[in-house]
Amino acid sequence: MDFPYSVTQDVPLYLAPMAGVSESPFRQICRRYGADVVVSEFISSVGISLGIERVLAEMRFEPCERPIGIQIYGADAGIMAKAAAMVTELFEPDFVDINFGCPVKKVVKNNGGSGCLKDMTLVRGIIRAVREATRLPVTVKIRSGWDESQRDPVEIGLRCQEAGAQALTLHPRTRTQMYQGAANWDEIARLAQALTIPVIGNGDIRTPEDVVAMRNHTGCAGIMIARGSFGNPWLFAQARDLLDGGGRTKRPDPTPEERFATALDHARLALRLQGDTRKTALEFRKHFGWYTKGLPGASELRQRLFAIESMGEAEEIFSEYLFGSARSVAA
Ligand SMILES: Cc1cc2nc3c(=O)[nH]c(=O)nc-3n(C[C@H](O)[C@H](O)[C@H](O)COP(=O)(O)O)c2cc1C
């Protein structure tokens, strides 16, 4: 299957766009552990078009993250086009992804995200306008529809393709479902059959074996992982082992030491890229929770990590665990 941007794997594995999670530090960690493509968190087209510095800062990435897509959302074709042109000019990612899947109230109330799915004329208008505004490939991410009565991912996908989408990711739930029920992989299979552009399957991948199962079940061109990657970037490399090895062997799970070391690396990246502020530390706590989940004897560690107010404190705590003493890791 021909992707509109350069990928080296037959079935590329994607780190999903996730607000508050798929930021530059986590994207870098996931690329290091086997994600083939990463996508930014969704960024407001209004914020971009107004040149708001905080919003522009959210789009920064480093060369090691490529191939990377920047995801934008909004319900005004003109503003989406302006945002796409600015993204291209200022950041030049490998592709621009349009979010037609976000279920969050604040976004859909202005018809953004999955709100657009109620109006396919709007969806087509946005895709066309964005295609015209950028020389980069344009991809889209959708849900299966707004609600059960309008559930028709194949029809939505065909309309997106016709309007110029060059690859499409389906998270096969409706907006009304939010995250309830199982993702309907049959819909990914039907869409992959119906479209000529690459279809990336997404939804409920928790284990490396799930990746192989989705590929076999749907014949999708690529696979996108969101929640399964929390504290577990190793999932990508393990899944790659299974995909390439015909479902036979995969590398072992990381040891507790590897987990701690990776959490520390991740924290250092956050420190470097986001600064040693209280905000960075508070937002990082969730990652610590995920990395240490299920580890024997980690409850005291978690308690200490959840109390941190600066990333420097986190470094000290991890150093103690890893090296037995609070040696400075900044050096
Ligand atoms: C914390 C969180 C934030 C998310 N933010 C975005 C986003 O910014 N853009 C988007 O298209 N989807 C977003 N999603 C949806 C995921 O990309 C994905 O479609 C969904 O979680 C299903 O995949 P999973 O079962 O692998 O988690 C988000 C999901 C989570 C859990």
Side-chain angles (χ1 to χ4, degrees), residues 50 146 201 223 308:
L50 294 174
W146 174 256
I223 291 175
I308 60 164

Side-chain angles (χ1 to χ4, degrees), residues 16-19 21 41-42 71 99 141 171 173 179 202-205 224-228 230:
M18 283 185 283
V21 181
E41 340 171 54
F42 72 157
Q71 189 188 64
N99 176 315
K141 180 162 177 281
H171 172 203
R173 288 187 173 91
Y179 287 92
N202 167 234
D204 296 351
I205 299 281
M224 181 179 277
I225 302 170
R227 292 165 296 174
F230 289 176

Side-chain angles (χ1 to χ4, degrees), residues 26-293:
F26 190 52
R27 295 194 304 256
Q28 294 194 27
I29 292 287
C30 288
R31 283 287 285 128
R32 197 183 295 171
Y33 288 101
D36 301 302
V37 184
V38 296
V39 186
S40 77
E41 340 171 54
F42 72 157
I43 316 276
S44 155
S45 57
V46 175
I48 299 170
S49 67
L50 294 174
I52 296 172
E53 186 46 47
R54 179 184 49 79
V55 177
L56 299 182
E58 286 172 0
M59 292 191 282
R60 291 203 188 104
F61 62 88
E62 303 209 318
C64 63
E65 295 175 46
R66 290 186 184 280
I68 180 171
I70 288 188
Q71 189 188 64
I72 59 175
Y73 74 93
D76 182 302
I79 296 176
M80 286 289 278
K82 181 169 179 202
M86 287 176 69
V87 167
T88 308
E89 190 63 31
L90 296 174
F91 299 100
E92 214 170 319
D94 297 274
F95 59 101
V96 175
D97 189 54
I98 305 177
N99 176 315
F100 289 130
C102 179
V104 175
K105 223 182 208 160
K106 181 175 102 188
V107 172
V108 296
K109 120 171 164 273
N110 297 316
N111 274 336
S114 58
C116 295
L117 297 177
K118 286 189 280 190
D119 180 353
M120 285 312 293
T121 308
L122 177 64
V123 165
R124 282 195 301 240
I126 291 174
I127 297 172
R128 283 201 194 101
V130 170
R131 275 295 307 262
E132 273 171 31
T134 177
R135 58 187 153 71
L136 298 175
V138 174
T139 62
V140 303
K141 180 162 177 281
I142 64 169
R143 282 188 172 235
S144 296
W146 174 256
D147 60 14
E148 284 309 315
S149 74
Q150 296 181 12
R151 186 169 194 145
D152 196 348
V154 171
E155 179 61 22
I156 296 170
L158 284 168
R159 297 288 83 84
C160 291
Q161 176 175 280
E162 190 183 283
Q166 291 160 282
L168 183 145
T169 303
L170 173 64
H171 172 203
R173 288 187 173 91
T174 62
R175 190 275 171 176
T176 329
Q177 276 184 298
M178 302 293 281
Y179 287 92
Q180 283 152 15
N184 185 337
W185 289 4
D186 290 344
E187 290 181 334
I188 300 174
R190 285 203 288 276
L191 194 62
Q193 276 283 321
L195 300 195
T196 53
I197 57 173
V199 169
I200 297 130
N202 167 234
D204 296 351
I205 299 281
R206 299 290 180 180
T207 65
E209 289 75 15
D210 290 340
V211 169
V212 178
M214 179 186 273
R215 164 74 180 162
N216 291 341
H217 189 94
T218 68
C220 57
I223 291 175
M224 181 179 277
I225 302 170
R227 292 165 296 174
S229 68
F230 289 176
N232 189 17
W234 301 276
L235 175 57
F236 293 100
Q238 289 181 316
R240 173 62 54 207
D241 289 342
L242 291 184
L243 278 175
D244 289 355
R248 286 191 301 275
T249 49
K250 65 172 186 214
R251 68 196 67 189
D253 290 337
T255 61
E257 288 72 26
E258 282 169 315
R259 284 183 173 279
F260 289 147
T262 300
L264 181 56
D265 274 355
H266 187 169
R268 280 177 180 156
L269 279 168
L271 184 67
R272 175 165 69 78
L273 297 168
Q274 297 168 336
D276 194 6
T277 64
R278 188 161 182 272
K279 184 169 176 282
T280 309
L282 296 190
E283 286 180 358
F284 206 83
R285 286 180 188 176
K286 59 180 178 289
H287 289 290
F288 285 138
W290 293 328
Y291 279 117
T292 53
K293 199 171 152 202

